[in-house]
Amino acid sequence: MLYQLGRDDRIKINQLDIPGDYDHNSPNSVYNLNCENHTTFKLDLTEINLICGGVMTDVMNFIPCTQGIIAHKKIIDCLKGFKVPEHSVFPVNILNKGKSHQFFLFYVCQDILRLVDFSRSEIIVKNEFKEILPYKLMNYADYSKLVLG
């Protein structure tokens, strides 16, 4: 599994963008998804865009939903074999260069990055020239420092 962070003059972890005409105030907006309603929620977000220069990977971060990830079906199927916290799965297509790819929003009722075992994970940070940057993330605090500064 590849999880990729990009870097310009600040860390950019979001490679996905909601379409400009998306109604953020809709009752079924991704911004209204929460732990109280996730099991009955009717998500109205069906497509998101891969940003220019973004790299499609099996797992991608999605800033509007900090308690979830966008994942390929094979990742969702793999997760079914593990004990995971309370969660819901919503189909969401990723648009990349005019082509639609089937992915899913995997929503977890807790901060998903706190579930990562950073010390046993290989996390590669690259700059805009695709050069690997010398970061070793051992825990959530290291990740927070890198992303939040």
Side-chain angles (χ1 to χ4, degrees):
M1 177 173 12
L2 174 64
Y3 183 77
Q4 185 172 11
L5 301 176
R7 183 174 179 97
D8 53 9
D9 55 344
R10 59 186 172 80
I11 295 295
K12 286 175 23 179
I13 59 172
N14 195 28
Q15 297 193 77
L16 303 170
D17 191 26
I18 293 176
D21 61 350
Y22 183 69
D23 183 1
H24 295 74
N25 298 314
S26 159
N28 297 318
S29 166
V30 67
Y31 296 97
N32 291 323
L33 178 60
N34 60 54
C35 287
E36 286 75 41
N37 69 11
H38 74 98
T39 59
T40 59
F41 199 76
K42 305 291 185 215
L43 182 66
D44 65 3
L45 181 64
T46 58
E47 293 183 331
I48 50 182
N49 302 307
L50 186 68
I51 64 168
C52 182
V55 178
M56 193 173 313
T57 60
D58 292 336
V59 177
M60 291 182 275
N61 201 6
F62 186 49
I63 296 300
C65 185
T66 59
Q67 291 177 235
I69 56 171
I70 300 296
H72 190 272
K73 182 181 184 322
K74 63 185 174 185
I75 300 300
I76 300 297
D77 289 344
C78 178
L79 289 171
K80 290 178 184 174
F82 294 90
K83 182 179 177 186
V84 293
E86 184 180 347
H87 66 281
S88 292
V89 177
F90 302 92
V92 178
N93 291 329
I94 295 179
L95 297 176
N96 182 25
K97 299 178 184 171
K99 188 174 178 190
S100 183
H101 303 270
Q102 185 180 20
F103 276 73
F104 296 88
L105 170 57
F106 183 78
Y107 179 83
V108 179
C109 283
Q110 59 181 268
D111 184 349
I112 198 163
L113 287 171
R114 292 197 182 273
L115 302 174
V116 173
D117 183 349
F118 285 93
S119 66
R120 294 178 55 201
S121 300
E122 180 179 4
I123 299 173
I124 299 169
V125 181
K126 294 183 179 183
N127 65 15
E128 66 272 21
F129 305 111
K130 301 194 185 310
E131 299 167 327
I132 296 175
L133 301 175
Y135 291 103
K136 180 67 176 158
L137 306 178
M138 294 303 296
N139 52 44
Y140 183 81
D142 290 348
Y143 167 81
S144 293
K145 270 193 265 181
L146 177 66
V147 174
L148 301 175

